[in-house]
Amino acid sequence: MRRGFWFVAGAGAGVYLTVRARRAAQSLTPEGLRDRLAGLSLGAQLFGEEVRAGMAEKETELRERLGLTLDGPEHAGRHRALQTSTTTERELT
């Protein structure tokens, strides 16, 4: 029983290490390196798209909160009055 257990454990470890070594060797071939670089490039593109989408979402949220349009403030006079009052409050503190 004990010999059988150790035989199976050794065989399993041997198979596992062989597969890992074969994968490591394959990743160092020109094709493997090309695949890794392509994956890295795709990951960077997806990350950039997510960042740009988040930035656009936050910009839209801030514009809505501040009442701004792409051309400028919707209520320019009100916006200037708010800026003046905020500046005055900062000067008082």
Side-chain angles (χ1 to χ4, degrees):
M1 179 73 179
R2 290 178 75 164
R3 287 183 185 176
F5 170 76
W6 288 113
F7 177 77
V8 170
V15 168
Y16 174 76
L17 291 175
T18 302
V19 169
R20 295 283 292 179
R22 195 174 290 163
R23 284 184 186 168
Q26 193 276 333
S27 70
L28 295 176
T29 63
E31 293 83 18
L33 291 173
R34 191 176 317 121
D35 289 344
R36 284 182 179 256
L37 288 175
L40 182 63
S41 173
L42 179 62
Q45 282 180 330
L46 291 174
F47 178 73
E49 289 173 8
E50 288 292 324
V51 168
R52 283 188 291 279
M55 286 172 43
E57 183 180 326
K58 278 296 186 185
E59 182 180 3
T60 302
E61 180 183 314
L62 286 171
R63 286 184 181 280
E64 287 175 358
R65 190 182 317 165
L66 296 175
L68 300 175
T69 62
L70 292 176
D71 299 330
E74 289 177 352
H75 306 289
R78 181 175 179 265
H79 183 69
R80 282 192 205 109
L82 288 174
Q83 284 180 337
T84 306
S85 68
T86 304
T87 305
T88 308
E89 289 173 9
R90 286 184 191 155
E91 292 172 355
L92 294 174
T93 56

